[in-house]
Amino acid sequence: MKNFGKKFIFITGGVLSSLGKGLTGASIGALLECMGYRVSFLKLDPYLNVDPGTMSPHQHGEVFVTTDGAETDLDLGHYERFTHATLRAENSITAGKLYAQLIEKERKGDFLGSTIQIVPHLTDAIKQAIYNASSSSDFTLVEIGGTVGDIEGLPFIEAIRQMGLYENRSNCLYIHLTYVPYLKMAQELKTKPTQHAVKALSSLGIQPDILICRSEIALSQETKDKISLFTNVQASAIISAPDLETIYELPLYLAEQQLPQVIARCMRLDYKAPALEKWQTIVTTLKTLDKHITVAIVGKYTATQDAYKSLYEALLHAQIATRVKIKIVWVDSEQLTQENHASQLKDSSAIIVPGGFGGRGVEGKIIAVRYARENNIPFLGICLGMQIAVIEFARTMLNLPLAHSTEFMETSQPVIDVMADQKWVTHKGGSMRLGAQTCAIKPATLAHAIYQQSHISERHRHRYEFNSRYADRFAQAGFIISGSDATNNLPEIIEIPGHKHFIACQFHPELQSKPFAPHPLFVSLIQATL
Ligand code: GLN
């Protein structure tokens, strides 16, 4: 190896947002792992929220929770699914967090005498965040949220420019993701927006080494040559990234265009061919699924697919494990009524009620759970979905008509309630039960058959819990608590025996599912439908 030392790959975006910088970074990380390197990631978000924990899933997509309990951008989910990296709070940083830290230091007097400025104080803090995220890895992939030119993104672009100056330049690689629109009328891919996007980046002092061009169809050599001429990027480093049948094809597609060779050349590394067999197997499996089923997801954020990103991916992983193609129908729980629910749910072989916050659509979810329970339809409840299953059972089977969660209203039958030590919480940000915790599984239960382990670790993000005061009444009616928090004995998995597959959990299993390790709860749900 000619050149070693820590390597940084910076990924920026031009032309427009939502091009898939996260997936691109994750795929490059996957390729580097296949070449034998250890990878880490950092998502830098230029907005002023301290973390995405308080942002609406409608606007911003799901909040991804790391093992250490950080509420992060959903791109961290892509990074973990595509690689073996275990990410933590230091792998997702926002401008808000850095400003808050800087201002706190200023108030404490740490900078006495100096004027605190974007350059160098904020840019130094950004560079420090990059170093913090790079420990124990060969490569750190740093993705800057938003689009080059956004006002709030400027300090981040400036900081990565400085990285190229102070680090050995060949240890820094700049990848710019752009969009090449296809004009139907002209039957042509138009390169002008990409030319402008590269100009915008160059005007901030960064000449990209590699361009990854998103488009509806693949770029021809002629188009690549034209982009090369106008952007000063070698034609071999202009990589086409058209829409693909499955996102898990992206690492292979990039490798086909020799992206690993280009990275090795730019960073002066000996080229090692990536071992891609496992990716090939996944893609072939996904493209040749033989059976088909429909699964209903009954939730509130059904208009924004990104709101349930990890859930969607976990179901895709279950397809790989079971070879069953899943068609998802998104059912808006606010539209679900006593009168219409059967017609909306009757074609689904399984029902999932996922996590969520706030009372809107809760009654519709209760109707969906009752339908699954009474009609022996395989069911999986996740977080709020488990709380709904508890409420439904209490109302229908325990003669507790006022059963509810105190999240939604004051009630004399609070079967779901806030934990005692959280009653006094005044700030909404970061105040939930968060991150990986150990759960003990009861022998001879469905949960045990699924996990085949006595202890598991799963990630949490919630305030409310199953109120143990009611545990005996539930048990007498046959409702089983099959998993409990190993330290505080809080109920974490519930199930109803005699049903084909009725199980729900207080944690978020979807956050740990990977294409190479599909989560057993989703696999068993699909198997139960066959
Ligand atoms: N709103 C519920 C709570 O806070 C459930 C949260 C979730 O589904 N993630 O407990």
Side-chain angles (χ1 to χ4, degrees):
M1 197 176 295
K2 284 177 245 166
N3 165 28
F4 218 63
K6 281 213 181 300
K7 305 266 174 278
F8 300 95
I9 298 183
F10 301 107
I11 304 175
T12 51
V15 184
L16 39 95
S17 62
S18 304
L19 289 179
K21 286 197 293 287
L23 276 174
T24 308
S27 300
I28 296 171
L31 289 174
L32 291 166
E33 269 198 350
C34 292
M35 293 162 84
Y37 296 113
R38 289 166 310 165
V39 296
S40 181
F41 295 88
L42 171 62
K43 176 75 194 282
L44 289 171
D45 274 306
Y47 50 70
L48 294 183
N49 303 63
V50 170
D51 63 40
T54 54
M55 293 165 93
S56 159
H58 280 303
Q59 257 188 41
H60 201 72
E62 115 188 320
V63 173
F64 188 80
V65 181
T66 54
T67 50
D68 64 337
E71 299 177 272
T72 72
D73 185 79
L74 59 76
D75 278 336
L76 270 79
H78 292 310
Y79 304 155
E80 283 202 347
R81 285 188 283 271
F82 275 70
T83 69
H84 291 91
T86 302
L87 303 171
R88 306 177 59 81
E90 65 259 30
N91 302 98
S92 173
I93 301 287
T94 68
K97 182 173 268 168
L98 296 175
Y99 279 114
Q101 284 167 359
L102 269 184
I103 290 168
E104 198 191 324
K105 274 172 96 179
E106 188 276 335
R107 291 290 82 188
K108 268 175 43 201
D110 287 2
F111 300 111
L112 273 190
S114 343
T115 310
I116 317 304
Q117 296 180 292
I118 301 285
V119 183
H121 297 94
L122 181 62
T123 49
D124 280 354
I126 296 170
K127 284 186 287 181
Q128 190 55 51
I130 295 173
Y131 290 119
N132 293 348
S134 71
S135 61
S136 73
S137 64
D138 304 315
F139 280 83
T140 306
L141 290 109
V142 181
E143 177 195 339
I144 300 193
T147 309
V148 168
D150 297 345
I151 291 179
E152 52 197 17
L154 291 175
F156 291 88
I157 304 291
E158 168 59 13
I160 64 170
R161 181 195 68 77
Q162 293 174 16
M163 289 284 294
L165 182 68
Y166 294 114
E167 286 291 317
N168 180 344
R169 177 62 179 83
S170 62
N171 282 344
C172 294
L173 184 79
Y174 296 96
I175 298 183
H176 196 47
L177 191 68
T178 75
Y179 185 60
V180 182
Y182 179 72
L183 268 201
K184 259 203 198 102
M185 269 170 343
Q187 296 194 350
E188 211 186 329
L189 284 167
K190 304 305 284 182
T191 65
K192 191 69 93 192
T194 292
Q195 297 176 33
H196 281 298
V198 175
K199 264 200 195 110
L201 186 60
S202 308
S203 72
L204 301 171
I206 295 174
Q207 163 67 37
D209 299 299
I210 295 174
L211 294 182
I212 297 187
C213 302
R214 289 281 294 114
S215 56
E216 264 175 67
I217 55 168
L219 268 59
S220 65
Q221 191 55 48
E222 199 190 343
T223 311
K224 288 184 176 182
D225 289 341
K226 185 170 174 195
I227 295 175
S228 167
L229 181 66
F230 283 97
T231 58
N232 212 20
V233 176
Q234 285 192 10
S236 61
I238 313 265
I239 307 289
S240 171
D243 298 342
L244 298 171
E245 208 178 307
T246 149
I247 57 168
Y248 295 109
E249 206 177 340
L250 189 54
L252 297 174
Y253 198 87
L254 298 176
E256 242 168 62
Q257 291 175 82
Q258 311 212 323
L259 181 63
Q261 286 91 325
V262 176
I263 293 177
R265 191 180 68 225
C266 293
M267 305 192 90
R268 304 220 191 108
L269 298 167
D270 289 334
Y271 170 67
K272 307 186 223 176
L276 296 170
E277 297 72 20
K278 62 174 196 174
W279 287 98
Q280 276 146 357
T281 311
I282 280 198
V283 172
T284 317
T285 311
L286 278 173
K287 288 188 172 179
T288 56
L289 300 171
D290 26 41
K291 293 181 229 87
H292 292 254
I293 62 159
T294 300
V295 174
I297 299 182
V298 182
K300 188 171 73 169
Y301 314 113
T302 46
T304 329
Q305 273 229 355
D306 273 359
Y308 301 113
K309 190 82 214 162
S310 294
L311 175 58
Y312 178 84
E313 294 302 324
L315 284 170
L316 211 63
H317 308 154
Q319 301 188 39
I320 299 170
T322 57
R323 304 199 53 95
V324 174
K325 175 117 192 131
I326 300 172
K327 181 177 161 227
I328 297 177
V329 281
W330 302 93
V331 179
D332 180 354
S333 58
E334 284 189 83
Q335 308 299 328
L336 218 52
T337 63
Q338 213 50 264
E339 291 69 44
N340 72 9
H341 72 281
S343 65
Q344 292 204 47
L345 297 171
K346 70 175 186 341
D347 295 328
S348 297
S349 311
I351 294 175
I352 297 178
V353 177
F357 292 83
R360 271 199 297 119
V362 161
E363 292 304 321
K365 290 176 195 176
I366 294 175
I367 291 171
V369 172
R370 184 170 303 137
Y371 179 81
R373 189 176 57 75
E374 291 179 344
N375 294 286
N376 206 16
I377 296 168
F379 167 77
L380 175 62
I382 298 173
C383 207
L384 178 61
M386 172 178 133
Q387 300 173 354
I388 297 285
V390 169
I391 296 167
E392 191 282 315
F393 194 86
R395 288 190 189 174
T396 321
M397 306 297 287
L398 301 184
N399 195 21
L400 294 170
L402 302 177
H404 220 323
S405 162
T406 52
E407 177 179 2
F408 311 127
M409 66 171 199
E410 288 291 324
T411 168
S412 55
Q413 295 165 355
V415 289
I416 304 291
D417 200 3
V418 79
M419 291 178 286
D421 57 350
Q422 294 213 325
K423 285 221 161 93
W424 321 114
V425 166
T426 52
H427 284 49
K428 288 236 154 60
S431 63
M432 283 185 268
R433 181 169 168 210
L434 286 165
Q437 294 179 8
T438 306
C439 169
I441 307 239
K442 203 168 176 176
T445 56
L446 175 60
H448 197 271
I450 291 173
Y451 279 98
Q452 313 231 329
Q453 285 179 64
S454 62
H455 288 83
I456 55 162
S457 171
E458 294 278 9
R459 300 183 197 176
H460 293 250
R461 181 174 185 253
H462 55 101
R463 280 195 187 83
Y464 295 79
E465 304 282 350
F466 180 178
N467 189 343
S468 333
R469 195 147 64 80
Y470 292 91
D472 287 345
R473 280 184 78 167
F474 275 81
Q476 279 155 18
F479 188 96
I480 296 181
I481 295 171
S482 51
S484 305
D485 175 74
T487 349
N488 299 312
N489 203 29
L490 297 162
E492 303 218 311
I493 308 179
I494 60 98
E495 57 190 72
I496 299 177
H499 187 284
K500 231 189 239 172
H501 188 282
F502 192 103
I503 191 161
C505 50
Q506 190 56 77
F507 44 76
H508 288 274
E510 71 275 22
L511 300 177
Q512 303 209 101
S513 184
K514 295 185 180 216
F516 304 107
H519 195 289
L521 273 174
F522 297 97
V523 175
S524 95
L525 178 74
I526 302 312
Q527 277 163 349
T529 67
L530 300 179

